[in-house]
Amino acid sequence: MSDVNELLEEAIKETENLNAGEVFLVKDLFKGYVWNRIPRKDRLLLGTLFLNYVNKMEGNIKAVEKTSSNQQRYEKVCK
């Protein structure tokens, strides 16, 4: 499977296809079968890396509330 850093780059690139105001999970940035093929430990690491990226960068993605299953939600905002 792909390196976690490659997956992070892919997820960041995919956010460009979102419209302003859309709320999403990291797993929404991948096709279902691709996400399911990523080992669980790598999915957890990817989620952590994506959250760190969002918090450090002054981009157009912000972290919002978590779901009931403790998954972090994000929103694309207008810049």
Side-chain angles (χ1 to χ4, degrees):
M1 190 73 236
S2 297
D3 176 68
V4 178
N5 290 321
E6 292 172 9
L7 293 170
L8 177 61
E9 289 177 24
E10 191 176 327
I12 292 166
K13 187 176 179 184
E14 191 63 31
T15 61
E16 296 170 8
N17 298 324
L18 298 171
N19 296 322
E22 283 190 275
V23 176
F24 63 95
L25 303 171
V26 173
K27 77 177 197 172
D28 297 335
L29 301 173
F30 296 89
K31 291 183 179 177
Y33 64 89
V34 174
W35 180 257
N36 292 332
R37 291 177 185 166
I38 302 170
R40 185 174 187 272
K41 66 178 182 61
D42 290 344
R43 292 192 307 232
L44 293 170
L45 178 57
L46 177 60
T48 302
L49 293 174
F50 191 83
L51 179 60
N52 288 341
Y53 170 81
V54 168
N55 288 335
K56 286 182 182 176
M57 304 309 286
E58 291 296 322
N60 56 355
I61 304 293
K62 69 173 184 175
V64 290
E65 79 282 351
K66 287 193 170 194
T67 66
S68 58
S69 56
N70 207 33
Q71 294 174 306
Q72 182 66 56
R73 286 190 183 190
Y74 300 92
E75 181 179 2
K76 183 166 185 175
V77 293
C78 295
K79 273 267 164 182

